[in-house]
């Protein structure tokens, strides 16, 4: 955030210099000695392509490529001149791919008319900051951020202290200093005392001079993303001209001191992402010039102050992830300039006060609190709302649809996880709608019918009505307006039939845990679930698990009339139904299939070895069916190379377990460590779940780690010995061969499987000791 602000300051200052240099007739070319100085400066450096900022991904541009001795240096990229005398007054080499050392004898320091110098985003590795910067007495703007200039020297020498003091002592015209991400750890406490009149904008990182409170004319102070520990400096209260104050993303702790009483010009304050505790500093609400306030991600307690009417300019208020309690003040929604209000992840217990005069707020997030009671009708007078999130509270009562549709600008709505909250229709809402709505979430509440006001919502993309009390059928009329849907979640309801599901670009369709009955229909019959579901070109997740679907899987499943159709199905979950017959071979056309869950049905078939041609198949669950026969036909064509979970338990397979299967399981051989943290199959919104058997007990994994690996062939009729190839599966976590007729010796190599956490070989005819 501040990086962009400082870029704006630089851009404004550069434009000012450029306008000064171009407003006069070009009577003088660049002075020869200054052109030579620039060329000599270039000759001592090298150019490279690199990412020039740690904060924003911007790649370097070689501005020095245009520097040619045969041309006027005032026309070189990054160079600004005073056309009256031909002096170089500005040098902007930000992100220019420069690397090398910056020595005290550099010709750069002969350019004593410089007013602007920006070397940020270049690499002067292993160079100390030269005291010769102090020769540039006309400097108004200096940016040395991200330059790898170092300043750590032993205390016994203290050369840096002397050099840096000398630098700032001479630069009495400096108004803007940016020294972010520099290792200047030994700056003496009074480094900036000579700049107390001139300095207006200061951006530091990793170090904080004790003289900060003496900069009486300072307007901008950025200390974000440093390593500061302890309480905030009391000297901040002396910065009476400050307008921008950012101390976010540090390790400041304890009670926030009262440093606000004299900061009357402060318009931007960010204290977020620290370890502040104690009571919320109510005096911060007395700063009448504030436009932005952020105390989020701390441990602040107490209630919000009642006296907030003076914040007439406040546009953004972010207090999320704290321990605040009490009521939700209606006065917040009357602040005339407020646009964004974030109070989520607190302990606010409500209720929500009545709003006397609705303001123009656009975003309100009160989610993940403990707010009780009903939502006042005045809340729906916030006509400018585009994002509303009241999810995960204890709200109760009925929301009348005719009240909700007053929010004509609403794009994202979330009332989910309020168990006592319902949405009821009004008698006069037949033609009412939310014309701008894109996401509508009303999961885990007490809804009993489909909201009719969504019928004409042509922009609707995400609809989540899961875990409610919706009964009956999805009719053509109910589904009207769903044409643009890409995500539909109606799981955990009491839906019996689906006459119509529109959405040519449907990506996720989740109908699990309902009462869907009848067959999965082939065309052209008009049955409960329309056949067009199976040919939705962009469908990535289809979950029909835990219903009452019967008969066979239609053989049209996976066939496409259009060769250009995008076969993108990644998850197919038909677990827990009453399906019979065999698996249609046309499923092999789903080349992107990652998860195929067909457990707990009545499928009567042999092992579908041809599924091994699917290059991305990671999870194959066929447990608790009537599969039978020997597992054959394993070769290079049917490799299952990406498989991480295979569950064939509780079937009637016979014969030997083919060793070729284990040879092909490449994803179970190498232990992969994901340093980015835990990732789960299915992505962020929909997450695959599965039941596995460990130590004789069934466990449901609500989410499947992408690193989780399972082989479960238990409760079949396999015979013969355990293939030695099993011992090569170094990343296997769960192995279950129990309740078969396996014989021979237990492989010693099983004890060398580094990732193995659960091994069950019980109820077989195996001999020997289980390796430890």
């Amino acid at each position: 955030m501040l990086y962009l602000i400082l870029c704006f300051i630089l851009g404004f200052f550069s434009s000012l210099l450029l306008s000064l240099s171009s407003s006069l007739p070009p009577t003088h070319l660049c002075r020869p000695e200054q052109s030579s100085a620039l060329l000599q400066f270039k000759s001592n450096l090298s150019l490279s392509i690199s990412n020039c900022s740690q904060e924003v991904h911007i790649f370097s541009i070689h501005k020095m490529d245009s520097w040619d001795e045969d041309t006027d240096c005032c026309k070189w990229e990054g160079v600004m001149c005073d056309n009256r005398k031909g002096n170089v007054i500005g040098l902007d080499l930000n992100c220019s791919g420069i690397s090398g050392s910056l020595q005290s004898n550099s010709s750069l320091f002969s350019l004593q008319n410089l007013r602007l110098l920006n070397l940020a985003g270049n690499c002067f590795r292993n160079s100390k900051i030269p005291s010769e910067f102090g020769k540039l007495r006309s400097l108004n703007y200096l940016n040395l951020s991200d330059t790898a200039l170092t300043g750590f020297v032993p205390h016994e020498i203290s050369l840096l202290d002397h050099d840096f003091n000398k630098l700032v002592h001479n630069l009495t015209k400096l108004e803007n200093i940016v020294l972010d991400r520099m290792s200047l750890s030994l700056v003496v406490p009074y480094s900036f005392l000579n700049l107390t009149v001139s300095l207006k904008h200061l951006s530091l990182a990793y170090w904080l001079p004790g003289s900060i409170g003496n900069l009486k004319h300072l307007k901008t102070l950025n200390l974000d993303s440093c390593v500061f520990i302890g309480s905030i400096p009391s000297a901040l209260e002396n910065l009476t001209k400050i307008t921008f104050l950012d101390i976010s993303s540090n390790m400041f702790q304890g009670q926030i001191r009262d440093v606000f009483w004299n900061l009357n010009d402060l318009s931007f304050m960010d204290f977020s992402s620290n370890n502040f505790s104690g009571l919320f500093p109510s005096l911060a609400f007395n700063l009448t010039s504030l436009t932005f306030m952020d105390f989020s991600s701390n441990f602040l307690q107490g209630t919000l102050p009642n006296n907030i009417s003076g914040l007439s300019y406040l546009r953004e208020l972010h207090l999320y992830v704290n321990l605040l309690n009490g009521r939700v003040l209606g006065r917040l929604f009357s602040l005339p300039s407020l646009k964004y209000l974030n109070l989520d992840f607190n302990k606010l217990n409500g209720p929500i006060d009545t709003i006397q005069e609705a303001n123009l707020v656009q975003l309100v997030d009160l989610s993940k609190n403990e707010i009780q009671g009903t939502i006042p009708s005045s809340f729906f007078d916030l006509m400018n709302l585009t994002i509303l999130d009241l999810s995960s509270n204890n709200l109760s009562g009925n929301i009348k649809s005719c009240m909700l549709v007053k929010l004509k600008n609403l794009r994202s709505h979330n009332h989910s996880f309020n168990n006592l909250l319902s949405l009821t229709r009004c008698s006069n809402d037949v033609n009412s709608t939310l014309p701008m709505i894109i996401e509508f979430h009303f999961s885990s509440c007490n809804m009993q019918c489909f909201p009719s006001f969504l019928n004409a919502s042509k922009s609707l993309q995400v609809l989540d009505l899961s875990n409610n009390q919706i009964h009956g059928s999805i009719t053509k009329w109910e589904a009207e307006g769903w044409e643009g849907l890409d995500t539909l979640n109606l799981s955990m309801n009491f839906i019996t039939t689906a006459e119509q599901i529109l959405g040519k670009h449907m990506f996720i369709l989740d109908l699990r845990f309902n009462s869907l009955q009848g067959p999965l229909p082939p065309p052209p019959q008009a049955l409960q679930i329309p056949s067009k579901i199976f040919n939705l070109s962009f469908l990535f997740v289809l979950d029909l698990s835990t219903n009452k679907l019967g008969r066979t899987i239609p053989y049209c499943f996976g066939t496409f009339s259009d060769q250009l159709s995008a076969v993108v199905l990644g998850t197919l979950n038909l677990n827990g139904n009453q399906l019979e017959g065999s698996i249609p071979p046309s499923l092999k056309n789903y080349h992107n299939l990652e998860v195929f869950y067909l457990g707990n049905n009545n499928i009567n078939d042999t092992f579908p070895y041809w599924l091994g041609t699917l290059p991305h198949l990671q999870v194959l669950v066929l447990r608790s069916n009537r599969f039978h026969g020997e597992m054959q036909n394993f070769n290079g064509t049917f490799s299952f190379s990406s498989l991480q979970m295979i569950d064939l338990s509780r079937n009637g397979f016979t014969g030997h377990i083919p060793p070729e299967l284990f040879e092909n399981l490449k994803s179970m051989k190498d232990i992969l460590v994901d340093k980015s943290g835990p990732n789960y199959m299915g992505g962020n919104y929909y997450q695959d779940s599965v039941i596995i058997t460990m130590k004789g007990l069934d466990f449901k994994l609500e989410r499947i780690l992408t690193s989780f690996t399972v082989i479960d062939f238990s409760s079949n009729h396999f015979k013969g010995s355990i293939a030695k190839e099993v011992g090569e599966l170094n990343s296997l976590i769960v192995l279950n061969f129990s309740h078969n007729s396996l014989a021979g010796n237990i492989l010693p190599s099983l004890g060398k499987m580094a990732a193995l956490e659960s091994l069950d070989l019980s109820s077989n005819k195996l001999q020997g000791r289980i390796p430890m």
Side-chain angles (χ1 to χ4, degrees), residues 196-202 212-221 235-245 259-268 289:
T196 55
V197 175
S198 64
L199 195 60
K200 296 179 181 178
H201 305 284
L202 177 62
I212 197 74
N214 295 309
L215 303 175
K216 305 286 187 174
H217 294 268
L218 194 66
K219 293 186 177 181
T220 299
L221 177 61
L236 292 180
E237 67 184 15
N238 297 327
L239 304 179
T240 56
K241 302 293 185 182
I242 196 80
T243 61
F244 183 104
L245 176 59
V259 296
F260 308 111
W261 65 276
N262 204 25
L263 308 184
N264 296 323
D265 294 334
L266 191 62
S267 64
F268 181 104
S289 297

Side-chain angles (χ1 to χ4, degrees), residues 205 235 286 332 362 413 417 506 529 536 552 591 621 627 634 673 744:
N286 293 338
L332 288 171
Q362 297 175 5
H413 168 279
F417 303 104
M506 187 82 71
I529 302 181
L536 288 174
T552 61
H591 300 297
V621 178
F627 285 96
F634 280 96
V673 179

Side-chain angles (χ1 to χ4, degrees), residues 211-256:
S211 58
I212 197 74
N214 295 309
L215 303 175
K216 305 286 187 174
H217 294 268
L218 194 66
K219 293 186 177 181
T220 299
L221 177 61
N222 172 36
L223 304 176
D224 82 298
S225 302
C226 302
V227 289
F228 296 133
I229 302 174
S231 57
I232 60 174
S234 59
L236 292 180
E237 67 184 15
N238 297 327
L239 304 179
T240 56
K241 302 293 185 182
I242 196 80
T243 61
F244 183 104
L245 176 59
D246 187 350
I247 64 170
S248 63
S249 302
N250 284 285
M251 291 181 281
F252 286 120
Q253 58 191 13
Q255 178 82 36
I256 297 178

